Amino acid sequence: MYIHRPLSLLLLLYCCLCTGMAARAQDAHRFLQTGWQALIQDNDTTALRYFDTAYTLYTKQGQEAGQAEALLYMGFASYGSSKSNGLKYAHKALDHYQQLQSSAPEIAALGTGRARTLLATIKARSGQHQEALALCYDALGTYDYTQDTTGTQGIIFQLLGNIFSHLGKTDSADYYYNLALKERQDRKDLVYLPGSLIKAGDIAQRAGHTQKSFDYYHEALNYAQQLHNRQAEVSGRIALAKWWQAAGQYDSAYQYVHDAIDIARQLSDLQFSIAALGTQKDLLMQEGRYREALAVLTHIDSIQQVGADWEKEQLAQNLEVQYDIEAHQHALVQEKKASQSARRLNYILIGAIVCSGILMFIIFRYQRKNQQQQKALFSLQQQNHELQLRQQAQEQALLQNEIDFKESQLSAMALQISMRNELINELKDTVAQEPRLSSQHIDKLLHKGITQDQEWEEFNMTFESVNKNFQQKLKEKYPEISQNELKICTLIKMNLSIKEMANILNISPDSVKMARYRLRKKLGLKTEDNLASFIQSL
C-alpha cells in the first residue's frame, strides 16, 4: 500500500494538470474566435485585446502553434492603423510557423502561406507591388490548399488580381479574379464570394456582355442578403445602379442607389456611404441636375470630415492598445524567463512524490535558490528601472510618429478644395447658359457652395499641427508679411503648382505669380535665389 499510494497521487496530479491545460487551451481558442468576430465588425481595438489575451494563454501553455495563430490575427487587426505593427506581427507569426516545420509540418506550411499572404497584403497597400507579387507566389508554392478551409488560396488570387489591376495589367488581373471566383464557388466560400462576383460582373461589362454582368451583380446581391453581409449588399447595389445607369434606365438606377445609401448609413465604415453618394452624384451630373449634384457633393464632404476625425480618434486608440500590448508582451517574456525555474520545481515535485524521503530536501534547497534568484532579479530590476523609462519614452515617440502619418491627409484636403472650386466654376459656366434664371441669382446660389474661408481655416489648422507652427515662425521672422502672403508660403511648402494654388485660393494663375513676386521682395531674396527652396528650408 505504501508503494501504490504515491503512484496514485502522481496520477491524480497528472490528470489535474492535463485537465487544467485543456481548459486553458479552450479559453484561448474562444478568445481568438471572439476577437475574429470583433474584427469582422471593424472593431480592431477590441479584437487586438482578445488576440493578446489568447496569445498570453498560449504562451503560458507553451503552445507554439497557438502563439503563431494569435500573432497572425494581431497582424490582421493592426495593419489597418499601423502598417509597421502589422508587418512586425506577421514576421513574428512567420518565425513561429517556421519553427513548427519538424514537429507539425502541415500546420507550419499552411501558417507560413497565410503569414506571407498578410505580408503581401500590407506590401500592396504600401505600393510595393513587386514585393507583394513575390510574396503571393511564395504563398501559393508553400502549401497544397486542396484541404484548406481558411479560404487562403482565394484570398491570394483576389490579391493578385488587385495588384495587377494597380499595375495596369488588365488581362492578368482578370485572370486571377476569375480564379478567385472559381475557387470560392467550388469551396462555397460565401463570405468572400459576393466580392468576386462583382469583379466578374465588371469584367463582363467591359467585354460588352451586359446581361451576363447583370446576372453576376444580381447573384452577388442575393448572396449578400442571405448572409446579412451589409457591406457586400451596399457594393452589390452600387454595381447594379451603375449597370442601370449605363443602360439609360435612371429610375432603376436611382432605386438601387437610394437603397445602398440607406443601408450604408447603418455601417461604421463611412467609405460605403461615400461610395453610394458618389454614385448618386454621378447620376445627377449625367442628367444635368447640377444643383442637386452640388448638394450631394457637399454631403460627401461633410461625411469625409467626420470620417477623418473618427479615423484619427480610432487610430490613436488603436496605437495606444498596441503600445499596451507591446509592454504586456515584454512583461510576459520576462515572466516566462522567471517562471522557467518554477516549472523545473514542478517537475521536481512530481518526481519527489515517488521518493518522499528526497522531497523535503529538494524543496528546501530549491526554495533557498528561488529566494536568491528573486532577490537578484529585484536588484537587477532596480538597476534597469531608469533604462526602461527611457525606452518607454522612445517607444511613445515612435507611436507618435505613427500618428503623424495623417500628414498625407493634408495633401488630400488641398486637392479636395481645388477640385471643389474647379467643379463650382464649371457649374457656373454651365448654368450661365440657362436663360430662365438671372445670372445674379445663379451666381448667388453657386457662391453658397464656396466656403473658402472656413475650408482654409480647417486646412490651416491641420497644416500648422503637421508643420510645427510654420506660419507662426514665419511671422516672427518677417513681421511685415501679410495674411495672403502666408497662404502663398503655406501652399509653396506643400509643393503645389501655380495652377493648384490658383484653384485653392480661387484666383487666377497670373495673380499667384504676382503674389510670388511681391513675396520674394518682402523676404529679401535675390534673383538667383529659389523661392520654393527657401520656403522648404524654413
Side-chain angles (χ1 to χ4, degrees):
M1 284 296 295
Y2 179 78
I3 295 176
H4 289 274
R5 185 174 297 172
L7 292 175
S8 300
L9 292 174
L10 178 60
L11 289 173
L12 178 61
L13 180 61
Y14 178 76
C15 291
C16 292
L17 181 61
C18 291
T19 302
M21 291 179 64
R24 286 195 297 270
Q26 291 177 355
D27 289 341
H29 183 67
R30 187 170 64 252
F31 279 120
L32 280 183
Q33 290 180 321
T34 306
W36 185 253
Q37 291 301 318
L39 186 61
I40 292 175
Q41 298 170 7
D42 297 328
N43 197 341
D44 297 348
T45 303
T46 302
L48 270 172
R49 296 189 186 278
Y50 281 118
F51 295 152
D52 178 52
T53 303
Y55 175 77
T56 301
L57 291 173
Y58 281 131
T59 301
K60 290 181 177 180
Q61 298 164 30
Q63 293 194 23
E64 192 82 23
Q67 294 176 59
E69 189 172 16
L71 286 168
L72 184 64
Y73 285 4
M74 291 168 77
F76 291 146
S78 298
Y79 78 90
S81 60
S82 171
K83 294 185 181 68
S84 61
N85 279 339
L87 288 170
K88 177 180 62 181
Y89 288 128
H91 280 298
K92 284 185 177 180
L94 187 60
D95 291 340
H96 279 278
Y97 280 124
Q98 289 176 342
Q99 292 175 13
L100 291 168
Q101 288 180 351
S102 58
S103 59
E106 285 288 319
I107 295 175
L110 176 58
T112 298
R114 296 177 69 195
R116 286 175 175 165
T117 303
L118 174 58
L119 288 171
T121 302
I122 299 172
K123 294 288 185 181
R125 288 200 173 198
S126 302
Q128 302 174 34
H129 296 111
Q130 295 302 327
E131 294 183 38
L133 277 176
L135 285 166
C136 284
Y137 291 139
D138 286 344
L140 285 174
T142 299
Y143 182 71
D144 180 8
Y145 296 93
T146 306
Q147 304 300 323
D148 175 37
T149 59
T150 64
T152 300
Q153 189 171 30
I155 294 173
I156 297 172
F157 289 150
Q158 191 78 7
L159 180 57
L160 283 168
N162 294 337
I163 293 171
F164 281 117
S165 178
H166 280 290
L167 294 175
K169 299 180 179 180
T170 306
D171 291 342
S172 297
D174 292 350
Y175 171 75
Y176 281 108
Y177 283 142
N178 287 327
L179 283 182
L181 175 62
K182 184 178 185 305
E183 173 73 13
R184 289 166 176 173
Q185 286 176 330
D186 291 345
R187 296 185 180 277
K188 299 186 180 348
D189 188 358
L190 303 183
V191 175
Y192 297 106
L193 184 56
S196 289
L197 288 169
I198 291 173
K199 288 293 183 183
D202 294 341
I203 295 171
Q205 185 81 339
R206 287 200 310 271
H209 303 147
T210 55
Q211 184 58 45
K212 188 175 182 180
S213 66
F214 178 84
D215 294 339
Y216 277 129
Y217 294 147
H218 200 267
E219 186 179 1
L221 180 58
N222 286 338
Y223 277 121
Q225 290 174 326
Q226 292 174 19
L227 298 169
H228 304 288
N229 187 339
R230 292 182 297 174
Q231 292 184 353
E233 189 173 348
V234 171
S235 299
R237 290 186 182 279
I238 290 174
L240 284 167
K242 291 180 178 179
W243 189 93
W244 284 112
Q245 178 185 2
Q249 300 293 326
Y250 293 104
D251 290 341
S252 298
Y254 278 118
Q255 182 61 51
Y256 277 107
V257 82
H258 287 156
D259 291 344
I261 292 171
D262 290 339
I263 298 171
R265 290 195 184 103
Q266 306 170 27
L267 302 177
S268 60
D269 191 342
L270 299 180
Q271 293 303 314
F272 287 92
S273 291
I274 293 172
L277 289 169
T279 304
Q280 184 186 32
K281 182 205 72 175
D282 293 340
L283 280 168
L284 293 170
M285 291 285 291
Q286 188 167 345
E287 284 195 296
R289 298 160 64 179
Y290 299 112
R291 293 187 184 86
E292 296 176 60
L294 179 60
V296 174
L297 181 62
T298 303
H299 189 191
I300 292 174
D301 290 343
S302 65
I303 291 176
Q304 287 176 333
Q305 183 60 44
V306 171
D309 294 340
W310 183 84
E311 286 177 1
K312 185 176 181 180
E313 180 181 354
Q314 290 298 309
L315 173 66
Q317 291 179 1
N318 208 348
L319 290 176
E320 183 180 352
V321 170
Q322 291 178 33
Y323 174 77
D324 292 341
I325 288 174
E326 284 295 307
H328 179 257
Q329 289 186 355
H330 177 74
L332 186 63
V333 171
Q334 298 300 321
E335 179 184 349
K336 183 179 179 181
K337 291 179 180 178
S339 66
Q340 287 177 351
S341 58
R343 188 178 294 112
R344 287 197 297 270
L345 172 61
N346 291 333
Y347 297 149
I348 293 173
L349 289 175
I350 293 174
I353 294 175
V354 181
C355 305
S356 58
I358 306 173
L359 177 62
M360 297 303 297
F361 176 73
I362 293 177
I363 293 177
F364 175 76
R365 287 288 305 274
Y366 189 81
Q367 285 179 343
R368 286 186 57 188
K369 182 179 180 180
N370 192 39
Q371 289 174 357
Q372 292 172 356
Q373 289 177 342
Q374 292 295 331
K375 289 179 181 179
L377 179 60
F378 178 79
S379 176
L380 181 61
Q381 289 174 341
Q382 289 294 105
Q383 295 173 9
N384 291 337
H385 181 66
E386 183 177 354
L387 177 60
Q388 289 176 354
L389 290 177
R390 288 199 298 270
Q391 289 175 341
Q392 289 176 0
Q394 292 174 352
E395 291 173 357
Q396 191 67 36
L398 289 175
L399 291 176
Q400 185 60 41
N401 289 337
E402 289 286 352
I403 298 178
D404 285 343
F405 90 97
K406 299 297 288 184
E407 179 179 1
S408 61
Q409 289 186 339
L410 195 60
S411 297
M413 291 175 67
L415 180 60
Q416 178 185 335
I417 296 172
S418 174
M419 293 177 65
R420 169 86 71 85
N421 288 341
E422 285 184 353
L423 175 61
I424 293 176
N425 289 329
E426 181 182 350
L427 289 175
K428 286 177 66 178
D429 295 337
T430 303
V431 178
Q433 301 175 7
E434 175 61 48
R436 290 175 293 179
L437 296 175
S438 67
S439 61
Q440 181 179 4
H441 182 60
I442 293 172
D443 287 342
K444 182 178 179 181
L445 288 175
L446 292 176
H447 276 88
K448 287 182 180 180
I450 303 179
T451 56
Q452 182 177 356
D453 290 339
Q454 179 182 354
E455 291 178 342
W456 179 263
E457 181 179 352
E458 295 172 356
F459 172 83
N460 198 40
M461 289 175 61
T462 305
F463 178 87
E464 283 292 273
S465 67
V466 172
N467 290 276
K468 312 302 180 187
N469 301 318
F470 168 78
Q471 292 187 7
Q472 182 179 348
K473 294 176 182 177
L474 195 60
K475 281 193 251 183
E476 291 175 357
K477 192 170 183 179
Y478 300 97
E480 69 278 11
I481 197 168
S482 69
Q483 198 65 29
N484 286 334
E485 289 167 340
L486 280 175
K487 291 183 179 181
I488 294 293
C489 292
T490 298
L491 297 177
I492 293 174
K493 184 77 172 176
M494 290 285 297
N495 287 323
L496 298 182
S497 66
I498 289 177
K499 181 180 178 182
E500 290 170 335
M501 295 183 199
N503 287 334
I504 292 172
L505 297 174
N506 207 24
I507 60 178
S508 68
D510 289 336
S511 298
V512 175
K513 293 177 182 179
M514 181 59 67
R516 286 170 60 98
Y517 174 76
R518 289 196 296 267
L519 180 61
R520 288 179 59 87
K521 294 181 63 178
K522 190 164 290 187
L523 296 178
L525 297 181
K526 299 178 182 179
T527 305
E528 62 271 18
D529 293 335
N530 186 281
L531 176 60
S533 300
F534 177 79
I535 293 297
Q536 293 295 337
S537 66
L538 294 178

